[in-house]
Each structure stands twice: as C-alpha cells, then as structure tokens.
Amino acid sequence: MSISPIPFERLQPDFSELLNGHYSSSSAYRALQPEFADAMDFFCKQSFSNLMLVQAPFFIEAQEWLNDFFQPQPKSITVYSIDESRTRVLQIDDLDKLNPTDKVMDPNPRSEIIVAEHVDRETLFGRCAPELVHGSLTNSLERYRPGLIWQANHGILVLPVAHMLAQPSLWLEVYQCLCTGQFDWRFVQQWPDNLNLPNAPVQLKVLLWGNAQELDDIIETYPKLWIKSACKCELKEEVPATLEYSQAWLEAFFDQVQHHDEISADVQNWLLQQASKHSEHNHYLALDFYALKQLFLFCKIHYGEITQDNLRQAYHQQQSYRSNECQWSRRSYQDRQVKIDLQGKEIGQINGLSVLESPGLSHPFGEPLRITATVHPGDGDLADVERKAELAGNIHAKSMMIIHGFLTRQFARDGHLPISGTLVFEQSYHEIDGDSASLAGLITILSALSNLPVDQSFATTGAIDQMGNVLAVGGVNEKIDGFYQVCQLLDPEHTHSVIIPKANMLQLNLSEEIIDAVQQSRLYIYPVEHVTQAIELLLCSPIRSSLSGNELLELIEQRSQTFYQLERDDQIIHRWMRSLKQTLKKLVG
C-alpha cells in the first residue's frame, strides 16, 4: 500500500474564487443569520405572544447586530396629562395637541429595538427622583425620568438572561408588565407613596438573549417561558464558505472595523483564511470577528497601509506579546533539557504531538513529546504510568483502554494476551488529557512487541478505535507547527515528516513558512485512515525498507503465540510438578 504525502496546494484553503462575484444585500448581518432574520420578522408580525428566546454565542454583541433585524414602524405616543390625571395615547399627527403640563413617556415617533446592557429597576422602569424645595424633599410626576420599557414601547426590549437570573424579583415585575400590558407605577425607582396613579397601557415585546446554559437555567426556573414564547432561535457561530456568505462576511467585518476604503483581493482572501482557521474547518467561516478586528486595527495603526504582508507581520507581532510559555518550551528543547530524537531509529519510542493551553494570556501552541513503551510476558495488563500517577484525565484513560481493546482483538481472540506492557509519556510533568496520542501510543507498543524500530524523523497524532481506524483530533495545525519549529531549532538540515488522520484534511490551514517547507520537500505530511498505514510509514524492518501493516500484525501475533505457548508449557510443568509432589507424599505416607 503506497501512502502519498499531502501536496502543498492542499495545506491551506483558497477563497480567491469567492471574491470574483458581487453580493448585494441590504444587510450583511441578516445575510449571515437568515434563520434568525426570519424568526425576528415573524416575532414582529405576530400578536399572540410578546416573548422570544434567543441563544447567542458569547462573541455576538446584541447592540452591534440587532438593529439590522428590526424595521422601525410609526407608532402612537403615550402621554400622561398631569392636570387631568390620566393617560392619553396620541398619534403622530396629534402631537400639536400636547399641553404644557403633559408628560411624554415615549417621545420617539417610531418603534425601536432597545438593548439593555445594564439592567436594574431604574434602568427598566425609570426613576422619580425627589427635589429639594425650601429645605424639604418633594416629589411629583414631573420629576419622573422614563426607563427602557417606555423607550421600547411598541418595539422590542432585549434583556440579557444573566441579569434576569441574578435579579429574579425584577424579572417577575417585567413579566407582569408583559402579561398584563400595563405599566405599574409602583415599580418605578423612588416612586412617592402619596402618588397613586392608575396603570398605564404599554405594548412591549421582550427578547431574552443569552447563552445555552443561561437559557437552560431560566427555563428551568420559569418553565412557562418555553410555552409562552412565540419562537426560539439559535444564532450561528459559523457559516458555509459560499460566495454569498463570504461576501456578507466581508461586508460585516469591514463594517465592524469601520473601513470603507478599497481592499485588495489578497487581503480579503487572507481574512477569509483566518476566519476559516478559527472555525477549524476549511469550508466554514467563523463569525467571531473580535480577534481579526483587533488585528486589523493593530495593523492599521502600526503600519498604516493594510496589505497581506503587513497583516501577517502584525499577526506575528501580536502573537509575540503572548508567547512566554512558548518561548520557554522552545528553549527547553534547544538546551536539550527535554530529550527528543529527530533522526535514527528506536524500538519502543515515538514522537507524539500535543497542544499546550496555559492559564492566563499565553496562546496555545504545539510541541512534540517522547512516548516510550516496554513489554514483557504477563497477563495482558497495559500499565499507563500517567494514569497511575494521576497525571491524566478520563479521556486519556479511555484511549488507553481502546489501545488494549485493539491489542486483545488482534492478538488474543481465543484467549488472554500473554504480554504485559508499560506506556510512558516521557518528561510530562503536568496533567494531560485527550485521545490524540492513542495512535502514537499503539505504534510504540507494536514496535516493542515486534522488536522493529520506529523512524524518529516522524511525529504522529491521531485517535483510534478498537478496529484500528484512525480518527480525527483537535489542534492539528498547532501540532504540525510546533513540531516543525522544534525541528528547525534542533535539526534544520534534515527532512522530517508528520502523520495525521486523513479525517483532519479539512482542518489544515497552515502558515506560509510550513507550506514553503512542504513545497521544498523539507517537510512531509501524511494522512492515514488505518493503523496499518501508519505502521508502513513508521516501523522499519531490518530485511526490508518497509513492512506492510498486515505483515507486522502477523509477526506480532506469532510472537504473542510463542509467549502464550511458553506460558502454557509453564502451567503444564507446574501442574505436573504439583501432581508429582502429591504422589510422593502418598508413597511416603
């Protein structure tokens, strides 16, 4: 079976073809969230419910997005006649009929969507602050300052779910206003006790905005919200990288950074590549503009001109601001404090790949780690040192059990595996978790079982199942980059290779430095679907330059049977000796 490395053209998505067309839209944000746009249109038109639930990712700010999903309409204006002690509703054409003593509650002649960023009783219901007159405090309706409920009258009020959960009594007051359609003056901050006014009519719709956990909590606390809401909608975190969505993404991004000058096609392509990298899928674009927006503004301030080279330089400069952990890691390899072999062949040793995420500001980065294995005759137990030392999480423990399941299925179908072993992640002093090293761990054990060495110029990442299929992992770009950087520090003269799951092909979004190395045949990246393919690449036979995966498994099975036969012979001898001793005792007796 021949396994070809990935050509350099497939190591990074190219969106240049999506920049040739023109997509005209009245709203880029509506184009990015078409389902939410439909839901909002329905919510605004219907009249049977005045409540909507929206689940939004943390990076979508309601203040920035929602105006494009709401069409203001002419509305009536609520006025309280102080002289007549009653509430009047005036149409726009009747505003000339206002009396000097009338108190206007909602002066805007068109409906609005109001986003409440900070929520308390004064913000929502308003305040009636007392006035110091002749040495004493007095209060009246003239001192009333309307809150957001009046501003959103005949429109939509957006409330953050987290604030409502933190102030349950305030939410009950808002909910009462929704259910009755009446504004209760007693809820006004500092409302005077001697001012007894009848409730005023208010036409309000509320949109509860929060993340999945917050919405789950408020629905559990107030179950009726589920059946009382007109509709529920989730906002997308990413969109397909099609012509329409790509153009809408660019329009929304340039709106966020307030940049209206012409931008070159290569800059637009680079921005879409970064959005795709953030989504971890080459066919999708992440809608989290924050990091790219900060980078764009950083480039604009530091370099003046927005070009692809300037953006790349700005990106590396920003990364250097948060690279203390990465630099310390690289130095430990350079000073040989961390042992890693990048050339030669070793039995029972392999280079795995990991991603380190440190607390604080440091950005995640990849680095290689040495994994070793030893085997000996035994009862089939596979000792995971990290787990026994309580330095591994549950997913890592599961991956070790899967390795054991593969070995049992492959070599001990008719009995127990007569071989035990130990697997160690060398020089790992912090807790590890995940299953991305299970392919590397299995290859290490197979090397120890077969006495065949592993090519140390390779690094390997991938999860496996009990059937030997290689499964996708996370952080594949960081892992490849981390291994390549260590190779450049320690062994820049030689060629190196990386094995990744074929299922991760759509996540490859590598830097220009690595693409150049692949193009110049200084780095190879091999995609594999089954452990047998990784065996052919990694394990070297002293007779042949390569060994097929099935041949190696047969070799290990023969060795396993030898161990099994030895163990069985020992058991026969042990039973014979025990029988002999019993016979001798009877004869002596």
Side-chain angles (χ1 to χ4, degrees):
M1 185 186 304
S2 177
I3 306 161
S4 301
I6 303 172
F8 72 91
E9 295 91 350
R10 299 188 62 186
L11 299 180
Q12 190 181 70
D14 183 11
F15 299 103
S16 56
E17 293 183 0
L18 302 180
L19 306 176
N20 298 329
H22 177 70
Y23 178 67
S24 58
S25 172
S26 57
S27 169
Y29 297 104
R30 287 181 68 90
L32 291 173
Q33 301 281 356
E35 294 83 4
F36 180 58
D38 290 341
M40 281 291 290
D41 291 343
F42 167 76
F43 182 55
C44 294
K45 293 175 183 178
Q46 60 82 37
S47 57
F48 64 85
S49 174
N50 48 14
L51 182 64
M52 179 177 178
L53 305 177
V54 175
Q55 179 178 314
F58 73 94
F59 53 80
I60 293 185
E61 297 288 345
Q63 193 72 49
E64 295 178 346
W65 283 68
L66 284 181
N67 283 331
D68 286 337
F69 295 88
F70 181 77
Q71 184 64 38
Q73 301 292 333
K75 69 169 187 177
S76 57
I77 292 177
T78 303
V79 176
Y80 192 86
S81 299
I82 297 176
D83 291 345
E84 302 175 13
S85 298
R86 68 184 181 92
T87 303
R88 292 186 296 145
V89 178
L90 300 179
Q91 302 302 320
I92 297 176
D93 297 337
D94 298 331
L95 293 182
D96 56 347
K97 298 178 182 179
L98 284 174
N99 299 323
T101 57
D102 285 343
K103 183 70 176 179
V104 179
M105 300 301 169
D106 48 349
N108 195 331
R110 298 177 68 82
S111 58
E112 297 181 83
I113 183 167
I114 303 296
V115 178
E117 296 182 347
H118 173 72
V119 175
D120 55 25
R121 179 172 280 101
E122 179 180 345
T123 304
L124 294 181
F125 291 94
R127 182 184 183 191
C128 196
E131 181 182 17
L132 186 63
V133 179
H134 303 302
S136 61
L137 290 175
T138 62
N139 212 335
S140 66
L141 185 59
E142 296 178 351
R143 300 286 300 169
Y144 176 60
R145 298 293 178 268
L148 297 182
I149 287 180
W150 282 116
Q151 292 183 40
N153 192 22
H154 297 277
I156 297 177
L157 177 61
V158 182
L159 295 176
V161 176
H163 290 205
M164 295 295 97
L165 287 169
Q167 304 174 80
S169 60
L170 182 60
W171 165 245
L172 292 176
E173 293 168 359
V174 174
Y175 190 65
Q176 177 181 324
C177 184
L178 282 178
C179 293
T180 62
Q182 299 289 319
F183 184 89
D184 194 330
W185 298 99
R186 295 173 301 172
F187 298 154
V188 174
Q189 186 79 6
Q190 295 182 301
W191 185 255
D193 295 334
N194 61 346
L195 196 56
N196 189 14
L197 299 182
N199 292 345
V202 61
Q203 297 183 29
L204 181 69
K205 290 184 177 181
V206 167
L207 189 154
L208 286 177
W209 178 283
N211 59 37
Q213 186 60 56
E214 292 166 350
L215 285 166
D216 188 63
D217 290 342
I218 200 169
I219 291 171
E220 184 177 356
T221 307
Y222 309 104
K224 287 186 178 180
L225 291 181
W226 182 262
I227 59 176
K228 290 288 187 180
S229 57
C231 57
K232 302 96 178 166
C233 188
E234 295 177 320
L235 269 67
K236 295 178 179 179
E237 298 188 24
E238 56 189 18
V239 295
T242 62
L243 173 64
E244 292 79 8
Y245 277 120
S246 299
Q247 292 296 324
W249 189 97
L250 290 169
E251 289 179 26
F253 176 78
F254 292 131
D255 176 71
Q256 293 251 331
V257 297
Q258 296 296 304
H259 187 91
H260 306 293
D261 298 335
E262 186 176 351
I263 293 290
S264 63
D266 61 340
V267 168
Q268 296 181 47
N269 186 52
W270 189 86
L271 291 171
L272 293 176
Q273 287 174 343
Q274 298 306 305
S276 174
K277 187 174 185 178
H278 191 75
S279 73
E280 297 186 352
H281 197 294
N282 291 350
H283 294 169
Y284 285 84
L285 304 173
L287 294 180
D288 185 358
F289 296 121
Y290 178 77
L292 274 179
K293 182 166 67 173
Q294 296 297 316
L295 175 65
F296 192 91
L297 297 175
F298 179 89
C299 179
K300 200 171 185 179
I301 293 172
H302 275 69
Y303 302 103
E305 186 180 5
I306 300 296
T307 65
Q308 188 181 57
D309 290 338
N310 287 347
L311 282 171
R312 285 176 181 163
Q313 190 170 348
Y315 173 80
H316 291 301
Q317 190 171 347
Q318 279 195 338
Q319 290 289 92
S320 69
Y321 295 164
R322 303 185 293 118
S323 62
N324 287 348
E325 289 288 336
C326 182
Q327 291 177 10
W328 180 86
S329 173
R330 299 288 185 267
R331 188 170 65 247
S332 65
Y333 287 99
Q334 191 171 22
D335 295 344
R336 307 290 179 173
Q337 294 176 349
V338 175
K339 176 175 171 55
I340 192 81
D341 293 324
L342 299 175
Q343 289 296 319
K345 301 173 179 61
E346 295 288 341
I347 295 175
Q349 176 176 296
I350 197 171
N351 294 323
L353 294 172
S354 65
V355 175
L356 270 66
E357 296 183 1
S358 304
L361 300 179
S362 293
H363 61 78
F365 61 94
E367 67 174 17
L369 71 160
R370 191 164 50 95
I371 303 173
T372 61
T374 58
V375 296
H376 54 84
D379 57 1
D381 178 51
L382 180 60
D384 175 18
V385 173
E386 315 306 313
R387 185 65 173 173
K388 290 188 174 182
E390 298 184 352
L391 286 174
N394 294 330
I395 299 177
H396 172 82
K398 177 184 176 182
S399 69
M400 295 299 105
M401 296 176 189
I402 291 174
I403 291 176
H404 187 271
F406 173 85
L407 294 173
T408 302
R409 176 181 179 273
Q410 191 69 39
F411 307 121
R413 293 183 178 181
D414 300 325
H416 76 276
L417 187 67
I419 303 172
S420 295
T422 302
L423 190 68
V424 181
F425 287 66
E426 302 290 356
Q427 293 185 280
S428 174
Y429 307 113
H430 49 78
E431 183 173 337
I432 61 174
D433 203 2
D435 59 357
S436 65
S438 53
L439 174 60
L442 175 59
I443 294 294
T444 314
I445 294 172
L446 294 177
S447 169
L449 287 171
S450 63
N451 274 329
L452 294 179
V454 178
D455 190 340
Q456 300 298 298
S457 67
F458 278 79
T460 304
T461 184
I464 60 167
D465 62 16
Q466 291 190 115
M467 307 302 173
N469 299 304
V470 180
L471 311 176
V473 296
V476 64
N477 294 299
E478 290 81 1
K479 290 173 180 178
I480 295 173
D481 181 76
F483 178 65
Y484 177 75
Q485 298 302 331
V486 171
C487 291
Q488 290 302 104
L489 282 175
L490 303 181
D491 190 30
E493 301 299 325
H494 293 93
T495 299
H496 302 90
S497 304
V498 180
I499 293 176
I500 66 169
K502 190 173 183 179
N504 279 117
M505 289 282 289
L506 287 176
Q507 281 74 49
L508 288 178
N509 199 329
L510 297 166
S511 66
E512 293 297 325
E513 182 183 8
I514 293 180
I515 293 174
D516 290 342
V518 172
Q519 189 174 6
Q520 297 169 16
S521 300
R522 291 184 289 110
L523 179 70
Y524 295 99
I525 302 174
Y526 293 93
V528 297
E529 294 181 278
H530 195 269
V531 65
T532 52
Q533 294 176 313
I535 288 171
E536 294 181 26
L537 290 168
L538 289 165
L539 295 181
C540 308
S541 167
I543 301 174
R544 298 168 50 185
S545 60
S546 64
L547 189 70
S548 75
N550 291 327
E551 288 174 334
L552 179 128
L553 295 178
E554 290 174 4
L555 178 65
I556 295 175
E557 187 166 6
Q558 292 173 5
R559 192 179 183 206
S560 174
Q561 290 297 325
T562 301
F563 276 115
Y564 181 73
Q565 188 62 44
L566 289 173
E567 182 184 31
R568 186 177 179 184
D569 292 345
D570 288 343
Q571 291 175 351
I572 293 173
I573 293 172
H574 179 72
R575 285 197 300 269
W576 184 83
M577 290 295 294
R578 185 173 58 182
S579 176
L580 180 62
K581 287 180 180 179
Q582 292 174 352
T583 303
L584 289 173
K585 283 182 180 180
K586 290 179 181 179
L587 291 173
V588 173

